Amino acid sequence: MQADVKHSIIHQFYTNDGQIGLRIAPATLAINDEVGLLLSELTEVYNAKPSKGYARFIDPVNDDAEEHQISEFPDKLKAWRSGDDEFIGFSQQAAKILHQQLQHYGILEDGFLVIASYTELGQDYLVVAFLPSKDGVTIAPDLSVDRSSQLDINKVQLAATINLTEWQEEPESATYISFIKGRVGRKVSDFFLDFLGCAEGLNAKKQSQHLVESLHDYVKAAELPTEQANTLRKSVYDICDSSWKSNEPVRVKDLSEQLQQAVPTERSFADFTAEQSQPLPEEIRADRGTLRKLVKFQGQGGGLSVGFDQELLGARVEYDPHTDKLTIHGTPPNLRDQLRRYFGIDS
């Protein structure tokens, strides 16, 4: 994490006799190597999450929001940013807001609320994360063994990053807050959004699916040969994946210019999409899982799971749409070894 950490603090939530308790930290953490390592690891895990959502704070006056979506968090954050409150006061108020939400919904979850502000590439950010805890053991200076409660950063599912600079300079933006999206069918992230008082501004999966479909139509309209079409899809995936890793939006105009360099065509991708009934927006937030459709075929069901790179279709992999038969020439070594052992064939 190449960032300048300004403030950081950790508050603890614990369960006792069927109740959720809160232990407020009396002071911020010292900015040292240990805190830097913690935030670096948290940032790495956060950035590696395959699916993120993007949101903005709810305006209680102008937005049609339900009562449970209105939170004091944005006002407390604004008071700190304007200098009317100290960071520690803001963070303590935020912890109390979360505590009230946990009590209201009857959620019993041990963990630690981490709030930290930092500056990176000239932009101010605030990270808010609820980290689950796990029991562990530590070795004391006298070499004795002691049980302790440790942060389980890899299991984090409730976390958000707020671009404070963008919020201040572009308050109408719908993407200055990014957050970890819950798994399909789970509403964990919805509860966290209510705590923050924000609403999803755009759906990265839908935008990415729109991009995939637009590229499919573009390849079909341009009548590109299979090799060029695969090169084009791979280029789009690589460009979007790079943007995803850096948590930056994909600019369709820039994407189109890079595609023209990789696979020159008479009509650019940007011009093509602009003429469609549903043109792509100027900027897209990439969803890695959805964009894999550009370079891989994969599916599962009925006890069978199959996945392979699209460029293998017509080469090592053949598909007959009339008989719905898939033929694979040359199986992966680990699968081949399992099959040979099953049939009693010496490797």
Side-chain angles (χ1 to χ4, degrees), residues 103-168:
Q103 289 179 316
H104 176 73
Y105 287 99
I107 298 176
L108 300 177
E109 187 76 31
D110 291 332
F112 298 86
L113 178 66
V114 177
I115 303 178
S117 68
Y118 63 92
T119 300
E120 187 173 27
L121 300 177
Q123 303 280 301
D124 293 334
Y125 294 91
L126 184 79
V127 60
V128 183
F130 186 85
L131 303 182
S133 60
K134 62 180 179 180
D135 289 334
V137 293
T138 57
I139 305 298
D142 62 358
L143 299 184
S144 62
V145 177
D146 190 19
R147 178 175 292 276
S148 65
S149 183
Q150 301 175 354
L151 297 176
D152 197 357
I153 297 178
N154 290 324
K155 296 289 182 63
V156 61
Q157 288 296 329
L158 298 174
T161 298
I162 305 169
N163 186 324
L164 299 171
T165 302
E166 184 179 352
W167 175 42
Q168 180 178 346

Side-chain angles (χ1 to χ4, degrees), residues 46-47 49-56 126-129 156-163 174-183 186-194 196 198-204 244 247 285-287:
Y46 179 85
N47 289 338
K49 292 293 182 179
S51 184
K52 295 188 186 69
Y54 298 89
R56 61 175 179 81
L126 184 79
V127 60
V128 183
V156 61
Q157 288 296 329
L158 298 174
T161 298
I162 305 169
N163 186 324
T175 60
Y176 53 78
I177 302 173
S178 68
F179 64 95
I180 298 174
K181 291 202 65 137
R183 299 169 188 166
R186 298 183 66 184
K187 296 296 182 181
V188 177
S189 58
D190 291 352
F191 161 76
F192 202 63
L193 293 185
D194 289 347
L196 295 174
C198 61
E200 190 166 3
L202 61 84
N203 190 309
W244 178 85
N247 198 27
R285 285 287 178 172
D287 178 75

Side-chain angles (χ1 to χ4, degrees), residues 13-61:
F13 290 84
Y14 60 91
T15 55
N16 184 32
D17 293 333
Q19 299 292 325
I20 184 74
L22 170 62
R23 181 186 174 200
I24 291 287
T28 57
L29 297 170
I31 305 303
N32 53 32
D33 291 343
E34 287 74 18
V35 170
L37 182 62
L38 166 64
L39 295 179
S40 178
E41 185 176 348
L42 174 58
T43 301
E44 183 178 345
V45 171
Y46 179 85
N47 289 338
K49 292 293 182 179
S51 184
K52 295 188 186 69
Y54 298 89
R56 61 175 179 81
F57 287 126
I58 292 173
D59 182 345
V61 177

Side-chain angles (χ1 to χ4, degrees), residues 48 50-51 208 237 241 244-245 286-293:
S51 184
S208 296
Y237 178 79
D241 191 52
W244 178 85
K245 289 178 180 177
D287 178 75
R288 200 180 205 181
T290 302
L291 290 170
R292 283 200 184 99
K293 297 176 183 178

